[in-house]
Amino acid sequence: MAYDRVTGKLWITWADDRNGTYDGFESVKTNGDNFVVSSSDGVHWSGLTKVGTSADEVFPAIAAVAGRVAVTSYTRTYDPAGINLDYAMWTGRGNALGPIHRVTTVSQNPNVQFVGIGLESGNVLQGEFIGDYSAVAMGLDFKVHPCWTDFRGNPTLNTPNQDVDTQSLSAF
């Protein structure tokens, strides 16, 4: 959730797996979508705005300043096989958010540290735990500061481990 201290508006984002594939109650393949709602009074809320692509997006975060909004999340958009994750950002004014912008420069394979095998299928799962942490902040200069877990480690130098990454991005 974000509070726009200039406009007094509240913003909430979350990931919803309504388009995922399930076998009964067991998830077979996720297909999360990011959604955003806003409110000027905390009682009346806007309609749902879907933010993202047709690929799997998870663990969104939101920031807002002076009517400008940034949503960040992990996405599988850049991997045709639907396994690797990148961190991405969508920005805009109000509920009108623009196209995806890739934040990471290298995709991360969630199976590198946390491989899971499906109990019924016996297949390798998409990755069971990647840190699940993400955040974003925006300054009055409209610079966006995403923060996410990078779980590649330092390739060729050490084994995979979880690191926190951030950078400052111009979004507007």
Side-chain angles (χ1 to χ4, degrees), residues 71-88:
V71 174
T72 59
S73 76
Y74 291 99
T75 181
R76 296 185 199 277
T77 296
Y78 301 101
D79 180 13
I83 301 294
N84 293 333
L85 291 164
D86 281 273
Y87 206 66

Side-chain angles (χ1 to χ4, degrees), residues 124-170:
V124 173
L125 301 177
Q126 290 174 313
E128 294 181 330
F129 180 77
I130 58 170
D132 304 358
Y133 311 109
S134 73
V136 65
M138 187 183 334
L140 290 172
D141 60 357
F142 305 117
K143 296 282 187 181
V144 178
H145 308 274
C147 182
W148 68 96
T149 304
D150 182 304
F151 41 88
R152 294 174 294 136
N154 193 344
T156 71
L157 296 180
N158 64 15
T159 57
N161 61 75
Q162 294 183 1
D163 298 308
V164 176
D165 282 355
T166 189
Q167 58 183 291
S168 179
L169 303 168
S170 295

Side-chain angles (χ1 to χ4, degrees), residues 14-37:
W14 68 94
D16 184 318
D17 193 34
R18 67 182 70 180
N19 294 314
T21 304
Y22 290 85
D23 181 11
F25 291 104
E26 297 292 321
S27 175
V28 175
K29 182 170 176 52
T30 60
N31 186 12
D33 295 310
N34 297 326
F35 289 96
V36 172
V37 294

Side-chain angles (χ1 to χ4, degrees), residues 91-104:
T91 60
R93 293 179 186 265
N95 287 21
L97 297 175
I100 188 171
H101 296 280
R102 190 176 187 177
V103 174
T104 51

